[in-house]
Each structure stands twice: as structure tokens, then as C-alpha cells.
């Protein structure tokens, strides 16, 4: 066990430099600020200070910014991942579960409700999915925030409760408690309010530390790229994907990374309650095709990586079957009830019609439809301005712990590639505010990009799969 932060050895011998473990936080911040490299001992010392409360908020923010500006190499990133994972309890499961233990993570997108669908679908395919998820970062929504829009849903579960959930349901979606990766919980919230969300090493360590404690056989990370993603270019996203795969391999975790486009919202709904409703549609075997496509591709890759399917395509077909036969929806219902939702409400949500579901979840006070300003084909629906306006309306946070308005959101009434006539409703905004401001209305209308070309089929958001080394024969990732 490393010693806690303390002044240097005072037993004599002159002014020896303190060992790395005892270097004071300002010196560590200065070292990284000036482009220096942090040792594993330095990184452990910083993480200990975060957990025990001796690191001040200003010091945490300064270190995050130093890392954001100066970066970390793969060894530093791996050391940070290990230190975060070791900051709390390690999850332990029966050895017989190991081949079944899989998980998925996303770097964050607009309208990304894949986890709500994929976890129960994988459970229906025989997997154990101990998903430790997060809250919204920046303009992107968080899985936990979406689930908490369901009355009674409890995201904090002890390791013992998680084990019971995996045994009886096959999946759980939980947050970071004081016992599970507590250091990352502090840093995650701080990143959201210090403009350090897009730091590659911080993203890598945050994602993999939560997964390292899960004892997984396989992990797929959905790395978003595009205007509304953390990284705008595919090349930047690939750099993160390769870091995740490489650091994961060093931790003994089989990680693959899917690169997926995030220029337009995923699906048709954005906002916490609205996204739960759309996830339920997908669990019905229906819903937007881009959402279903991504769920089945990611699930297929996980089943293949864990050895539970012969090929990615076979795994994708199994996930699709779980959506179509109702077994995935049944697992979701059981997960809701097991994580605090009244069983009758869980049943009504999963068995009800879309209209009935809408009455059971929080709703915004007002709805307003925006109309197409001209004739044209929908070339793009820009996710970023849409997300920013919804953030202003209460769907996102400006500071850690700020309450959200779960009913605030928007529904896309059109598809990319569709031909519109001037005056056709294209967006329905759900708001608690009395009215949209003129700048908000202009920003939303600017999200609709029209062109003169003929109608076309919307492309899949899936781009490629980055595989772990040494890879077996790669699965078929053709469009």
C-alpha cells in the first residue's frame, strides 16, 4: 500500500527530494502543466487525494486542464485507469459467469439510448451485463439520467445487489457509488463543468476504469465522431478507439471499438422521457431503423468477441430475434422492477401502447411544432444546435448536481433523405418554458438542412470496428 501524501522524509540527511508518492499536489499539477510525465506513483497520489477529499476542487480542475492541454502517453493513461479502478471495491462474480460477462459503453451522443435496449437484449441472449454508466456530459445526455426519468428507478446499487440483479435478471444499469470507482465519479462530474470532457486520456481512463472492475470477458465501446460528438473527425475518434483497445489489452480486457457517426440525432427522440419511450419501441421490435441497426451491430460484435456467437452476423441476428420475440423487453421490465420501479408501473410501461407509455412518464408542459421554411430534401438534421437549445431548456446541466427537466426534449418528425414541402412540421419541441426565445427558434430552424437533390436512403451511423490485438479473423463489418 502506498503512503498517503505527506512532506518529505524528515529523519535527516539534508533536503532530499520526496519520493514520487509523497509529492504534493501543486508540484504534480505544475509538472503536468509544463509538459512533464507523471509516474504511476504520482498518479496514485493524485487519485488518493481525490478520494480522501484532500484535493481541493480548484486543484482537481487544474489537473484536469493540465491533462487536457498536455495529454498523457499510453503508460500514463493505463496507470490512471488502474488507479481509478483501484479507488473502490472490485466486483466479484462466480467463475462460471466469466465467459458471459460483457458490456458496452458510448462516448456520448445526442439521442443515444442504445444502452437501454442493448443491455436487456444481451441478457435475453444469455449474457451477464453489469453496466456501470454515467450521467450527461456537456450537451450529451446520460443513460442514468434517462433511466431516472422512470419513477422509482434507483441507479445506486451495492455490489451485492448487482450480483443479485445479474443472477435473476441478467443485466443491470447502475451508477458509481462510493464503493465502485469513486474517484472517477468525482472526476466525471468535474470534467462536465471544466471544459475537459474531450480529453482523450481522461475519456479512456474513465471508461476503462469502470469496466476493469466488472471482470468482463468482452467490451465494445461506441466511439462517436461528427459535429455533435466529443471528437468531430473520424481520425480523432479512431485515435481514441485505438487507445481504448490498446489500454484495454494491457489491462487484460478484450475491447473492440465501433466508430459511429454523430452528426444527426440517433433515432427520432432527444430528451430523457422521450428517449425511454423510443427505447421501448425498439424493444417492441419496432422504432427507428438507425437505432435498431446500431443495437444489433454492437450486440453482435459483443457476442462474437465473447465467444458466444460464431460470427458477428450470427450474434446480430440473435440480438434482433430477442427484440422481435419480446424476450429483450421482458428483461427490461424485470430490470426496472428489480431496480426500484413499482412492478405494476414496469409492466404497464413495457406492455402499454406508445400513447399509454407517454402518460406514465414525466411530460413537459408545452409542445410546439416547427415547420420547414422551404421545399427541399432533408440533407441533414444537425444534432448539435438541437442539443444546445434543449440544454438551455433544462434537459442538461451547467453545473454538477443541477436538477434536470426529464420531460424536456424534441421529436424529429422527418427522416434524413425525405422530401419536404414548405410548411411541413419537421420538429416537435417539448418544453416547460413559456415560449422559445428568438435565438432558440433560429438555432432550431438552422438545424434543418435542406437540399435540391432527389430523396435518398439515410446512411447507417456505423462506420467501422477497431479490433483488439491479436485479432481473430475479423467479422464482416460491411455496410
Amino acid at each position: 500500500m502506498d503512503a498517503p501524501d505527506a512532506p518529505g522524509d524528515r529523519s535527516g540527511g539534508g533536503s532530499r527530494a520526496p519520493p514520487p508518492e509523497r509529492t504534493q499536489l501543486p508540484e504534480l499539477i505544475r509538472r503536468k502543466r509544463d509538459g512533464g510525465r507523471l509516474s504511476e506513483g504520482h498518479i496514485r497520489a493524485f487519485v488518493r487525494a481525490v478520494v480522501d477529499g484532500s484535493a481541493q476542487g480548484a486543484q482537481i480542475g487544474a489537473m484536469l486542464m493540465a491533462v487536457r492541454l498536455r495529454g498523457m502517453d499510453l503508460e500514463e493513461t493505463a496507470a490512471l485507469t488502474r488507479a481509478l479502478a483501484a479507488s473502490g471495491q472490485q466486483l466479484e462474480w462466480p467463475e462460471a459467469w466469466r465467459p458471459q460477462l460483457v458490456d458496452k459503453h458510448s462516448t456520448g451522443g445526442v439521442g443515444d439510448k442504445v444502452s437501454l435496449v442493448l443491455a436487456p437484449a444481451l441478457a435475453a441472449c444469455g449474457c451477464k451485463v453489469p453496466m456501470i454508466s454515467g450521467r450527461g456530459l456537456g450537451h450529451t445526455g446520460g443513460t442514468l439520467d434517462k433511466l431516472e426519468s422512470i419513477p422509482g428507478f434507483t441507479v445506486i446499487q451495492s455490489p451485492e445487489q448487482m450480483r443479485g440483479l445479474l443472477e435473476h435478471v441478467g443485466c443491470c444499469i447502475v451508477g458509481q457509488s462510493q464503493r465502485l470507482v469513486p474517484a472517477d465519479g468525482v472526476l466525471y462530474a468535474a470534467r462536465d463543468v471544466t471544459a475537459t470532457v474531450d480529453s482523450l486520456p481522461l475519456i479512456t481512463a474513465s471508461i476503462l476504469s469502470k469496466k476493469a472492475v466488472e471482470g468482463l470477458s468482452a467490451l465494445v465501446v461506441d466511439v462517436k465522431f461528427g459535429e455533435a460528438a466529443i471528437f468531430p473527425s473520424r481520425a480523432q475518434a479512431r485515435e481514441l478507439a485505438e487507445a481504448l483497445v490498446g489500454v484495454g489489452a494491457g489491462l487484460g480486457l478484450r475491447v473492440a471499438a465501433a466508430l459511429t457517426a454523430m452528426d444527426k440525432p440517433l433515432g427520432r427522440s432527444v430528451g430523457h422521457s422521450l428517449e425511454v419511450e423510443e427505447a421501448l419501441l425498439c424493444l417492441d421490435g419496432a422504432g427507428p431503423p438507425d437505432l435498431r441497426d446500431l443495437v444489433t451491430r454492437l450486440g453482435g460484435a459483443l457476442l462474437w468477441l465473447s465467444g458466444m456467437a460464431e460470427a458477428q452476423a450470427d450474434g446480430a441476428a440473435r440480438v434482433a430475434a430477442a427484440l422481435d420475440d419480446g424476450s429483450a423487453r421482458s428483461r427490461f421490465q424485470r430490470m426496472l422492477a428489480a431496480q426500484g420501479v413499482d412492478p405494476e408501473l414496469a409492466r404497464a410501461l413495457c406492455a402499454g401502447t406508445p400513447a399509454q407509455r407517454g402518460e406514465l412518464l414525466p411530460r413537459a408542459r408545452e409542445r410546439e411544432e416547427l415547420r420547414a421554411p422551404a421545399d427541399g430534401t432533408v440533407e441533414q438534421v444537425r444534432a448539435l444546435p438541437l442539443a444546445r437549445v434543449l440544454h438551455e431548456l433544462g434537459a442538461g446541466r451547467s453545473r454538477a448536481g443541477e436538477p434536470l427537466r426529464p420531460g424536456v426534449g424534441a421529436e424529429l418528425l422527418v427522416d434524413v433523405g425525405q422530401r419536404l414541402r414548405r410548411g411541413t412540421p419537421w420538429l416537435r419541441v417539448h418544453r416547460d418554458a413559456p415560449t422559445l426565445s428568438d435565438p432558440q427558434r433560429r438555432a432550431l430552424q438552422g438545424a434543418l438542412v435542406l437540399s435540391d437533390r432527389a430523396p435518398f436512403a439515410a446512411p447507417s451511423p456505423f462506420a467501422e470496428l477497431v479490433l483488439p490485438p491479436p485479432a481473430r479473423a475479423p467479422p464482416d463489418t460491411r455496410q
Side-chain angles (χ1 to χ4, degrees), residues 97 101-103 115-124 126-131 153 157 161-174 327-336 338-339:
W97 286 8
L101 286 159
V102 302
D103 200 359
S115 293
L116 279 63
V117 181
L118 184 56
L122 288 168
C127 296
K128 305 287 188 186
V129 190
M131 188 176 288
F153 192 91
Q157 302 286 327
Q161 289 170 318
M162 289 179 67
R163 179 167 174 154
L165 283 159
L166 293 191
E167 184 173 356
H168 299 294
V169 179
C171 64
C172 60
I173 303 178
V174 304
S327 58
R329 186 180 61 233
S330 174
R331 296 281 178 156
F332 187 69
Q333 179 179 334
R334 290 162 60 185
M335 184 185 78
L336 294 184
Q339 289 194 233

Side-chain angles (χ1 to χ4, degrees), residues 102-429:
V102 302
D103 200 359
K104 165 264 175 190
H105 188 86
S106 170
T107 57
V110 178
D112 183 1
K113 68 283 294 178
V114 167
S115 293
L116 279 63
V117 181
L118 184 56
L122 288 168
C125 292
C127 296
K128 305 287 188 186
V129 190
M131 188 176 288
I132 301 176
S133 195
R135 300 193 180 277
L137 277 177
H139 64 271
T140 64
T143 296
L144 300 182
D145 298 321
K146 295 165 191 176
L147 285 167
E148 284 184 333
S149 72
I150 304 172
F153 192 91
T154 303
V155 301
I156 299 301
Q157 302 286 327
S158 70
E160 295 76 20
Q161 289 170 318
M162 289 179 67
R163 179 167 174 154
L165 283 159
L166 293 191
E167 184 173 356
H168 299 294
V169 179
C171 64
C172 60
I173 303 178
V174 304
Q176 293 153 263
S177 69
Q178 287 301 310
R179 297 171 67 183
L180 291 176
V181 206
D184 183 63
V186 176
L187 298 186
Y188 195 94
R191 285 168 56 209
D192 194 20
V193 294
T194 56
T196 56
V197 169
D198 61 349
S199 166
L200 188 149
L202 294 178
I203 296 168
T204 301
S206 177
I207 292 171
L208 293 182
S209 64
K210 291 191 284 285
K211 305 311 176 185
V213 302
E214 294 177 4
L216 304 175
S217 68
L219 169 68
V220 166
V221 183
D222 181 1
V223 181
K224 305 290 189 186
F225 66 91
E227 182 190 41
I230 294 175
F231 295 110
S233 76
R234 182 167 169 176
Q236 290 173 305
R238 185 170 237 286
E239 185 181 1
L240 173 61
E242 291 171 348
L244 288 163
V245 170
V247 173
L251 298 172
L253 179 58
R254 190 164 174 78
V255 181
L259 300 185
T260 66
M262 181 41 65
D263 291 305
K264 67 171 289 293
L266 183 63
R268 284 188 158 208
S269 294
V270 183
H272 303 99
S273 295
L274 293 175
E275 291 189 46
V276 170
E277 292 180 51
E278 189 162 83
L280 284 164
L281 278 179
C282 191
L283 288 164
D284 290 337
D290 60 339
L291 174 60
R292 179 184 170 99
D293 178 67
L294 200 50
V295 167
T296 55
R297 284 182 184 270
L298 296 177
L302 271 174
L303 292 176
W304 175 77
L305 280 171
S306 63
M308 298 180 69
E310 288 293 323
Q312 186 190 11
D314 297 332
R318 287 183 58 192
V319 173
L323 298 177
D324 294 336
D325 66 17
S327 58
R329 186 180 61 233
S330 174
R331 296 281 178 156
F332 187 69
Q333 179 179 334
R334 290 162 60 185
M335 184 185 78
L336 294 184
Q339 289 194 233
V341 178
D342 181 272
E344 281 303 306
L345 174 58
R347 184 200 61 78
L349 276 173
C350 292
T353 66
Q356 290 168 335
R357 290 166 177 166
E359 297 302 316
L360 298 171
L361 295 169
R363 298 301 248 177
R365 292 193 296 267
E366 305 289 341
R367 300 184 192 183
E368 177 180 347
E369 291 185 353
L370 302 185
R371 298 178 181 273
D375 293 352
T377 298
V378 181
E379 189 71 28
Q380 183 61 277
V381 176
R382 298 174 58 218
L384 186 57
L386 178 61
R388 284 175 170 165
V389 171
L390 294 179
H391 189 284
E392 292 174 5
L393 293 174
R397 295 183 181 86
S398 299
R399 61 182 183 273
E402 187 176 15
L404 299 172
R405 295 182 180 272
V408 168
E411 298 173 81
L412 293 177
L413 307 178
V414 299
D415 293 315
V416 169
Q418 178 181 341
R419 188 71 180 176
L420 295 185
R421 289 194 173 276
R422 183 176 182 272
T424 302
W426 75 273
L427 184 72
R428 182 179 298 125
V429 180

